[in-house]
Amino acid sequence: MKLRQKGMVTNMWAYESVFYQIYPMGFCGVPFENDGVQRHEIKHVEDWIPHMQKLGVNAVYFSPVFESDTHGYNTRDYRKIDVRLGTNEDFKEVCDALHRAGIRVVLDGVFNHVGRGFAQFQDVIRNRENSPYVNWFYRIDFGGNSNYNDGLWYEGWEGCFDLVKLNLQNPDVVNYLLDSVKGWIDEFGIDGLRLDVAYSLDENFVRRLREVTSAYKQDFFLLGEMLHGDYNRLMNDQMLHSATNYECYKGLYSSFNSMNMFEIVHSLLRQFGPENWTLYKGKHLLSFVDNHDVTRVASILNNENHLPLIYAMAFGMPGIPCVYYGSEWGFKARKEDGDPALRPYFDKPEWNGLCDWISKLTEAKKHSEALNYGAFRSVLLTNKQCIFERKSEHERVMVAINADGADFMAHFDAGCGTACQTLHRMDDFAAGRVVEGQLQRKAFPGSRSVFDLIQVVFYFFGETAFVADDPHAHSLSGQFGRFVDYALAEELHQGIDLCGGASPVFGRESIKRQVANPVTGRGLDCPAHGLHTPDMTFETLQPVLRGPASVAVHDNGDVSRYAFLLAHSMQI
């Protein structure tokens, strides 16, 4: 995707990606305690690569993989893959396989603290004041004691003495960690880091990390775990490219559970809205509905039928979507049952209708200029419904959510110009009307609907040229509008079917109908505007309309490719 984007970085690969999170210790089913037994379980990841490809993700974020005491975040050795997972050679094989599949690799960088088994800390316990590593750790007090009765006190992360806080103002510590990261790039070819508890890190260390990694690998991506406060403190041109959007994580599930779309839209407007004061306009936070630290989304939602809706919201809002392994098919687990419940081993992945839906969202997200870089504008908002627009230089996408169990008629300004410019001055489009820029449409059924009612609606306005390798591709020009109502089902459920049965982005090749003008029943034909195309089947039209890679839109001042995504609930 070629786009000049104002903001921190132009065309960072991560901004056009969909992430998949794996917690390796659980994913690979290894013992919780480090028993020192050499295993090779990390190669289990390779068995899942076809699943990831089918899902459409193109980046994997691994929670900790390096030698640790237990769960991975209490590191013993930054330069050795945990013995329970495998060897460095095993992990290199996994990374190489992922890269061959077109999937980038991001590792968890745990730099705020180490485990008690970290060799330098063990040296301090043995040699006390005489250890050369005393200043590697934050606030060692030999006159105090810890819960482990070491005869010394030290700073633990948030009071946890299993996690010994490093002194990131010590140049020796900083150089050790930076050399470790460069080693990961050299040995495994990693493409980025997610910084654990980034909000606790020394800011000068984060600046130094950005400087070193950007020089070492130009497109190296830095993501920080941020919870509260202003994410711009660390997410800026000198520090992190991105941060975890915990504010919207809470707003996503809470809005559905309380049937109050105002909550999530308020957060999105605060972060990305059109006003000059909004916090993160032009930036790309990590969007997620669950992860290894929180209750699974299928468990936290009061209504399971909202699962496809919450994913549609997460993929449609500004940000970089991330799917946590197992949640794509609706796996359930609650935080109160303990962290291991959130981080299970699966012998193999499952596939169901929710996976199908997420795979469609990934394709739309990866290939949409507006979804990757577009501005955010709220178009319609009620307690149970919301419609928002993502708009970039060449494209507009609208996302519509109906969380109610009943049908909803949406009345809003579609920003499409005047309806008299449409083919044959047709005013009535499938239970909706286009009048002087106003689109009134029966948006979609409520949450009782099944998956096959999901629809995608595309508008094309203005002087537009479609280009594709297909010899049947046609060039269309002139001031015209086209309303195309696609349904992912074997039979149409409502409205005018100009293309037949499928979306160009979410296409189902098995459905092939005649492309017809709803008035003439023949090809699109508008002599008044010099527009004519012969009859075409869906097969010939599909490559013409599939994504920015094969659609060129020539901007004459008010032209845009305009997609309207109607997300329905489904029965899992």
Side-chain angles (χ1 to χ4, degrees):
M1 182 181 299
K2 301 296 183 183
L3 179 72
R4 294 196 59 81
Q5 169 71 11
K6 293 182 180 179
M8 298 194 302
V9 175
T10 301
N11 288 62
M12 163 62 75
W13 60 266
Y15 302 161
E16 301 171 8
S17 297
V18 175
F19 277 62
Y20 192 70
Q21 183 192 354
I22 290 175
Y23 182 84
M25 300 295 182
F27 181 90
C28 296
V30 303
F32 180 75
E33 298 285 343
N34 192 332
D35 57 7
V37 176
Q38 181 67 68
R39 298 174 175 85
H40 304 277
E41 306 303 326
I42 193 65
K43 298 177 76 172
H44 184 50
V45 173
E46 294 183 64
D47 298 334
W48 282 52
I49 291 178
H51 174 77
M52 297 181 213
Q53 291 178 302
K54 186 178 180 182
L55 200 62
V57 299
N58 50 3
V60 168
Y61 146 45
F62 286 106
S63 295
V65 296
F66 294 104
E67 189 82 358
S68 71
D69 295 339
T70 55
H71 46 60
Y73 289 98
N74 40 19
T75 310
R76 288 182 179 176
D77 189 339
Y78 285 90
R79 299 176 182 181
K80 180 178 180 295
I81 296 297
D82 195 290
V83 67
R84 294 166 291 172
L85 294 175
T87 64
N88 284 29
E89 291 74 20
D90 291 335
F91 190 60
K92 181 181 187 309
E93 178 183 306
V94 169
C95 292
D96 288 346
L98 288 165
H99 283 134
R100 286 194 300 271
I103 299 173
R104 306 258 190 167
V105 176
V106 172
L107 298 188
D108 218 331
V110 188
F111 302 137
N112 180 73
H113 46 258
V114 295
R116 287 175 51 82
F118 188 60
Q120 290 84 339
F121 183 69
Q122 286 296 308
D123 190 88
V124 172
I125 291 177
R126 288 192 304 270
N127 298 307
R128 297 178 61 81
E129 294 91 340
N130 296 322
S131 172
Y133 301 108
V134 170
N135 290 326
W136 274 50
F137 306 97
Y138 190 70
R139 295 177 63 189
I140 295 284
D141 179 5
F142 292 104
N145 206 351
S146 73
N147 291 350
Y148 289 92
N149 198 30
D150 298 313
L152 56 86
W153 182 91
Y154 55 90
E155 180 86 12
W157 175 73
E158 297 190 359
C160 179
F161 286 100
D162 290 335
L163 305 175
V164 187
K165 186 171 176 61
L166 287 169
N167 178 10
L168 295 179
Q169 295 181 353
N170 182 336
D172 292 337
V173 175
V174 172
N175 290 334
Y176 169 80
L177 294 175
L178 294 178
D179 287 345
S180 298
V181 173
K182 288 190 285 187
W184 303 341
I185 297 174
D186 290 339
E187 187 170 6
F188 309 121
I190 68 167
D191 303 286
L193 290 174
R194 175 263 194 192
L195 304 186
D196 182 54
V197 297
Y199 54 85
S200 295
L201 295 175
D202 179 81
E203 293 183 10
N204 288 327
F205 169 75
V206 179
R207 290 187 185 92
R208 181 74 176 133
L209 179 66
R210 171 68 176 267
E211 177 186 348
V212 168
T213 55
S214 294
Y216 207 72
K217 188 170 185 175
Q218 186 175 10
D219 60 351
F220 197 81
F221 177 61
L222 291 179
L223 162 72
E225 182 187 21
M226 301 287 285
L227 303 181
H228 310 294
D230 184 359
Y231 300 157
N232 287 318
R233 181 175 69 86
L234 294 177
M235 182 179 58
N236 53 60
D237 286 332
Q238 289 75 44
M239 301 167 82
L240 303 177
H241 299 96
S242 181
T244 54
N245 197 343
Y246 264 96
E247 177 183 343
C248 284
Y249 154 71
K250 191 271 179 183
L252 281 167
Y253 75 79
S254 180
S255 293
F256 283 100
N257 284 349
S258 63
M259 295 296 270
N260 179 21
M261 291 295 135
F262 284 87
E263 179 180 356
I264 183 59
V265 174
H266 170 79
S267 292
L268 291 171
L269 286 172
R270 176 178 176 271
Q271 294 185 344
F272 306 107
E275 293 81 10
N276 291 333
W277 56 264
T278 54
L279 296 175
Y280 311 128
K281 190 187 283 90
K283 297 186 178 182
H284 304 260
L285 281 71
L286 191 79
S287 307
F288 57 97
V289 298
D290 58 8
N291 60 30
H292 66 294
D293 281 328
V294 300
T295 293
R296 294 273 185 162
V297 64
S299 295
I300 206 167
L301 284 178
N302 295 337
N303 183 351
E304 290 184 38
N305 294 325
H306 287 158
L307 274 171
L309 303 187
I310 198 171
Y311 276 107
M313 181 82 81
F315 277 74
M317 62 186 264
I320 306 167
C322 184
V323 178
Y324 184 42
Y325 81 101
S327 288
E328 67 267 31
W329 65 78
F331 176 76
K332 294 183 177 182
R334 304 196 67 87
K335 177 71 171 178
E336 52 265 36
D337 295 329
D339 286 343
L342 306 174
R343 310 164 182 179
Y345 168 80
F346 300 110
D347 180 57
K348 60 183 179 180
E350 297 181 21
W351 193 271
N352 60 13
L354 184 60
C355 298
D356 282 330
W357 174 233
I358 293 173
S359 71
K360 295 173 175 66
L361 293 174
T362 62
E363 288 307 302
K365 172 66 171 66
K366 290 186 301 182
H367 302 300
S368 170
E369 179 184 280
L371 291 178
N372 288 326
Y373 296 101
F376 177 88
R377 177 175 71 94
S378 177
V379 175
L380 179 145
L381 180 60
T382 73
N383 286 82
K384 300 177 182 180
Q385 294 84 20
C386 69
I387 299 175
F388 58 83
E389 177 190 73
R390 302 293 310 286
K391 182 179 180 181
S392 64
E393 182 180 0
H394 303 105
E395 181 183 49
R396 287 190 296 164
V397 176
M398 281 190 173
V399 180
I401 302 293
N402 180 12
D404 198 7
D407 295 358
F408 177 75
M409 177 73 75
H411 300 268
F412 60 94
D413 183 353
C416 298
T418 305
C420 66
Q421 298 297 329
T422 60
L423 289 173
H424 294 278
R425 298 179 61 89
M426 290 184 300
D427 290 329
D428 195 349
F429 293 103
R433 292 181 61 80
V434 182
V435 181
E436 297 298 330
Q438 299 291 322
L439 172 63
Q440 304 175 37
R441 177 169 171 75
K442 184 176 182 180
F444 38 80
S447 59
R448 67 178 182 275
S449 304
V450 294
F451 185 51
D452 64 2
L453 288 178
I454 292 172
Q455 296 178 342
V456 178
V457 179
F458 281 81
Y459 270 80
F460 293 87
F461 282 89
E463 186 175 9
T464 308
F466 301 101
V467 294
D469 296 331
D470 188 88
H472 297 286
H474 294 270
S475 179
L476 312 178
S477 63
Q479 288 296 321
F480 68 98
R482 248 186 35 226
F483 179 89
V484 185
D485 189 348
Y486 304 96
L488 296 179
E490 294 299 331
E491 295 181 359
L492 290 176
H493 296 278
Q494 61 179 1
I496 301 166
D497 181 30
L498 292 183
C499 182
S503 149
V505 178
F506 306 162
R508 287 191 29 191
E509 285 77 355
S510 62
I511 304 173
K512 302 167 186 175
R513 290 191 178 86
Q514 187 72 20
V515 178
N517 182 296
V519 174
T520 66
R522 303 294 296 168
L524 297 173
D525 188 6
C526 188
H529 296 107
L531 171 65
H532 175 75
T533 66
D535 299 345
M536 292 185 291
T537 65
F538 175 66
E539 280 184 311
T540 62
L541 188 62
Q542 183 179 359
V544 179
L545 301 184
R546 185 186 293 276
S550 60
V551 178
V553 180
H554 303 292
D555 193 342
N556 65 1
D558 63 349
V559 179
S560 63
R561 193 173 77 83
Y562 179 24
F564 194 127
L565 173 61
L566 301 182
H568 289 255
S569 292
M570 68 177 180
Q571 301 292 342
I572 302 295

